[in-house]
Amino acid sequence: MKTARRWALLLAGMASWTCAQAVDLRPVLKAGAEFGGDKLFTLVFTDGSTKNVKAHDGFSLGGGASFLNESKSFEIETTLSYKFHFTNASNGDVTWSRIPLDVMGFYRFSRVRLGGRLICHLSPRAKGSGVASNLDIQFDNAAGLVLQADYLFSGKESGQDIY
């Protein structure tokens, strides 16, 4: 719960910064598929085959807001998503889910964005049904830092601003 409060304070601070600046506020919709990371657990099927479920596995859907300063050189993007990974079998299912909160800051050049993001995975949980109904693992919230570089196919230089 302390982590969630810290993230809320960070977001409130960013919101106050945007009120003091001339900014362009735009909605953000996001969808993604990500795979890999540390192995969390292994599922064993009745035929003897196994499947590893990894921390980063899943599809995500979410939304938020992007704040771009007047000169379009600095951008802050905040999103909240639902990330999930299903493993289905004929006699039961397992769902690995969590709620990622992303706060990203970028310095923008004409075609490149450089920056990083703070990410917090809230309420991570693995839950089963059918023969796996005894599976209900709640993991601790986890935070991390990602450094990122993006190439923009359209932007300030081309006159076709994608933001």
Side-chain angles (χ1 to χ4, degrees):
M1 195 64 172
K2 281 184 176 181
T3 303
R5 285 187 201 134
R6 288 182 188 145
W7 282 97
L9 287 172
L10 177 64
L11 293 175
M14 287 177 24
S16 66
W17 172 82
T18 60
C19 292
Q21 306 287 322
V23 297
D24 187 7
L25 173 64
R26 306 244 176 145
V28 172
L29 296 175
K30 73 188 272 190
E34 300 167 319
F35 305 96
D38 293 336
K39 180 176 80 169
L40 295 176
F41 52 90
T42 301
L43 300 172
V44 180
F45 298 97
T46 56
D47 66 359
S49 64
T50 62
K51 178 173 180 166
N52 292 328
V53 176
K54 296 183 178 180
H56 209 50
D57 285 353
F59 298 95
S60 60
L61 299 169
S66 175
F67 308 92
L68 191 59
N69 70 350
E70 189 174 1
S71 66
K72 299 189 185 299
S73 62
F74 186 72
E75 176 182 7
I76 293 177
E77 185 176 292
T78 303
T79 58
L80 187 66
S81 304
Y82 179 70
K83 189 170 182 178
F84 55 92
H85 175 70
F86 295 114
T87 301
N88 300 314
S90 61
N91 57 356
D93 304 317
V94 173
T95 303
W96 162 232
S97 65
R98 56 262 187 229
I99 301 169
L101 172 63
D102 279 309
V103 179
M104 296 171 267
F106 293 101
Y107 186 80
R108 293 181 59 188
F109 299 94
S110 61
R111 296 274 184 186
V112 175
R113 290 191 321 178
L114 296 176
R117 70 180 177 163
L118 296 171
I119 186 167
C120 185
H121 285 248
L122 305 170
S123 303
R125 183 178 193 183
K127 186 161 176 61
S129 65
V131 296
S133 61
N134 62 343
L135 177 68
D136 191 357
I137 304 170
Q138 295 182 344
F139 295 86
D140 291 335
N141 294 339
L145 175 66
V146 177
L147 300 177
Q148 186 169 328
D150 297 336
Y151 180 80
L152 304 172
F153 289 98
S154 64
K156 293 188 300 186
E157 184 179 90
S158 67
Q160 298 175 341
D161 197 355
I162 60 175
Y163 297 98

PDB file of all heavy atoms in Angstrom, residues 63-75:
ATOM      1  N   GLY A  63      -4.810   2.825 -20.818  1.00  0.00           N
ATOM      2  CA  GLY A  63      -4.939   4.189 -21.285  1.00  0.00           C
ATOM      3  C   GLY A  63      -4.376   5.162 -20.274  1.00  0.00           C
ATOM      4  O   GLY A  63      -4.011   4.782 -19.163  1.00  0.00           O
ATOM      5  N   GLY A  64      -4.334   6.418 -20.671  1.00  0.00           N
ATOM      6  CA  GLY A  64      -3.796   7.451 -19.807  1.00  0.00           C
ATOM      7  C   GLY A  64      -3.743   8.778 -20.523  1.00  0.00           C
ATOM      8  O   GLY A  64      -4.584   9.073 -21.366  1.00  0.00           O
ATOM      9  N   ALA A  65      -2.715   9.561 -20.209  1.00  0.00           N
ATOM     10  CA  ALA A  65      -2.582  10.899 -20.787  1.00  0.00           C
ATOM     11  C   ALA A  65      -1.122  11.186 -21.089  1.00  0.00           C
ATOM     12  O   ALA A  65      -0.218  10.688 -20.420  1.00  0.00           O
ATOM     13  CB  ALA A  65      -3.127  11.933 -19.821  1.00  0.00           C
ATOM     14  N   SER A  66      -0.920  12.012 -22.117  1.00  0.00           N
ATOM     15  CA  SER A  66       0.408  12.465 -22.500  1.00  0.00           C
ATOM     16  C   SER A  66       0.433  13.985 -22.378  1.00  0.00           C
ATOM     17  O   SER A  66      -0.470  14.668 -22.858  1.00  0.00           O
ATOM     18  CB  SER A  66       0.718  12.056 -23.946  1.00  0.00           C
ATOM     19  OG  SER A  66       1.947  12.596 -24.364  1.00  0.00           O
ATOM     20  N   PHE A  67       1.471  14.498 -21.713  1.00  0.00           N
ATOM     21  CA  PHE A  67       1.647  15.932 -21.531  1.00  0.00           C
ATOM     22  C   PHE A  67       2.887  16.341 -22.313  1.00  0.00           C
ATOM     23  O   PHE A  67       3.972  15.834 -22.052  1.00  0.00           O
ATOM     24  CB  PHE A  67       1.848  16.270 -20.049  1.00  0.00           C
ATOM     25  CG  PHE A  67       0.777  15.700 -19.153  1.00  0.00           C
ATOM     26  CD1 PHE A  67       0.947  14.460 -18.563  1.00  0.00           C
ATOM     27  CD2 PHE A  67      -0.382  16.409 -18.911  1.00  0.00           C
ATOM     28  CE1 PHE A  67      -0.030  13.930 -17.725  1.00  0.00           C
ATOM     29  CE2 PHE A  67      -1.361  15.890 -18.078  1.00  0.00           C
ATOM     30  CZ  PHE A  67      -1.186  14.651 -17.488  1.00  0.00           C
ATOM     31  N   LEU A  68       2.736  17.260 -23.250  1.00  0.00           N
ATOM     32  CA  LEU A  68       3.839  17.712 -24.094  1.00  0.00           C
ATOM     33  C   LEU A  68       3.993  19.215 -23.895  1.00  0.00           C
ATOM     34  O   LEU A  68       3.010  19.963 -24.026  1.00  0.00           O
ATOM     35  CB  LEU A  68       3.523  17.381 -25.557  1.00  0.00           C
ATOM     36  CG  LEU A  68       4.604  17.518 -26.593  1.00  0.00           C
ATOM     37  CD1 LEU A  68       5.798  16.621 -26.271  1.00  0.00           C
ATOM     38  CD2 LEU A  68       4.057  17.150 -27.964  1.00  0.00           C
ATOM     39  N   ASN A  69       5.217  19.686 -23.560  1.00  0.00           N
ATOM     40  CA  ASN A  69       5.390  21.115 -23.317  1.00  0.00           C
ATOM     41  C   ASN A  69       5.229  21.916 -24.604  1.00  0.00           C
ATOM     42  O   ASN A  69       5.144  21.360 -25.699  1.00  0.00           O
ATOM     43  CB  ASN A  69       6.720  21.397 -22.611  1.00  0.00           C
ATOM     44  CG  ASN A  69       7.929  21.173 -23.498  1.00  0.00           C
ATOM     45  OD1 ASN A  69       7.842  20.636 -24.594  1.00  0.00           O
ATOM     46  ND2 ASN A  69       9.079  21.568 -22.994  1.00  0.00           N
ATOM     47  N   GLU A  70       5.158  23.220 -24.465  1.00  0.00           N
ATOM     48  CA  GLU A  70       4.846  24.096 -25.596  1.00  0.00           C
ATOM     49  C   GLU A  70       5.853  23.973 -26.732  1.00  0.00           C
ATOM     50  O   GLU A  70       5.489  23.986 -27.902  1.00  0.00           O
ATOM     51  CB  GLU A  70       4.771  25.547 -25.112  1.00  0.00           C
ATOM     52  CG  GLU A  70       4.252  26.503 -26.150  1.00  0.00           C
ATOM     53  CD  GLU A  70       4.049  27.888 -25.579  1.00  0.00           C
ATOM     54  OE1 GLU A  70       4.317  28.127 -24.397  1.00  0.00           O
ATOM     55  OE2 GLU A  70       3.612  28.755 -26.353  1.00  0.00           O
ATOM     56  N   SER A  71       7.134  23.813 -26.395  1.00  0.00           N
ATOM     57  CA  SER A  71       8.151  23.690 -27.442  1.00  0.00           C
ATOM     58  C   SER A  71       8.239  22.272 -27.998  1.00  0.00           C
ATOM     59  O   SER A  71       9.019  22.009 -28.896  1.00  0.00           O
ATOM     60  CB  SER A  71       9.515  24.115 -26.897  1.00  0.00           C
ATOM     61  OG  SER A  71       9.940  23.214 -25.898  1.00  0.00           O
ATOM     62  N   LYS A  72       7.458  21.343 -27.457  1.00  0.00           N
ATOM     63  CA  LYS A  72       7.414  19.935 -27.871  1.00  0.00           C
ATOM     64  C   LYS A  72       8.761  19.236 -27.705  1.00  0.00           C
ATOM     65  O   LYS A  72       9.094  18.312 -28.416  1.00  0.00           O
ATOM     66  CB  LYS A  72       6.899  19.790 -29.306  1.00  0.00           C
ATOM     67  CG  LYS A  72       5.485  20.311 -29.476  1.00  0.00           C
ATOM     68  CD  LYS A  72       4.936  19.971 -30.831  1.00  0.00           C
ATOM     69  CE  LYS A  72       3.592  20.553 -31.083  1.00  0.00           C
ATOM     70  NZ  LYS A  72       2.530  20.175 -30.244  1.00  0.00           N
ATOM     71  N   SER A  73       9.544  19.705 -26.714  1.00  0.00           N
ATOM     72  CA  SER A  73      10.850  19.086 -26.470  1.00  0.00           C
ATOM     73  C   SER A  73      10.827  18.123 -25.294  1.00  0.00           C
ATOM     74  O   SER A  73      11.724  17.297 -25.165  1.00  0.00           O
ATOM     75  CB  SER A  73      11.892  20.173 -26.219  1.00  0.00           C
ATOM     76  OG  SER A  73      11.544  20.923 -25.065  1.00  0.00           O
ATOM     77  N   PHE A  74       9.823  18.216 -24.429  1.00  0.00           N
ATOM     78  CA  PHE A  74       9.751  17.340 -23.263  1.00  0.00           C
ATOM     79  C   PHE A  74       8.340  16.784 -23.147  1.00  0.00           C
ATOM     80  O   PHE A  74       7.361  17.503 -23.312  1.00  0.00           O
ATOM     81  CB  PHE A  74      10.123  18.097 -21.984  1.00  0.00           C
ATOM     82  CG  PHE A  74      10.212  17.207 -20.787  1.00  0.00           C
ATOM     83  CD1 PHE A  74      11.262  16.317 -20.636  1.00  0.00           C
ATOM     84  CD2 PHE A  74       9.233  17.230 -19.814  1.00  0.00           C
ATOM     85  CE1 PHE A  74      11.345  15.472 -19.537  1.00  0.00           C
ATOM     86  CE2 PHE A  74       9.304  16.390 -18.710  1.00  0.00           C
ATOM     87  CZ  PHE A  74      10.363  15.520 -18.574  1.00  0.00           C
ATOM     88  N   GLU A  75       8.261  15.489 -22.867  1.00  0.00           N
ATOM     89  CA  GLU A  75       6.977  14.807 -22.806  1.00  0.00           C
ATOM     90  C   GLU A  75       6.915  13.928 -21.558  1.00  0.00           C
ATOM     91  O   GLU A  75       7.885  13.270 -21.212  1.00  0.00           O
ATOM     92  CB  GLU A  75       6.831  13.938 -24.051  1.00  0.00           C
ATOM     93  CG  GLU A  75       5.606  13.096 -24.103  1.00  0.00           C
ATOM     94  CD  GLU A  75       5.566  12.232 -25.364  1.00  0.00           C
ATOM     95  OE1 GLU A  75       6.547  12.195 -26.125  1.00  0.00           O
ATOM     96  OE2 GLU A  75       4.535  11.577 -25.551  1.00  0.00           O
TER      97      GLU A  75
END
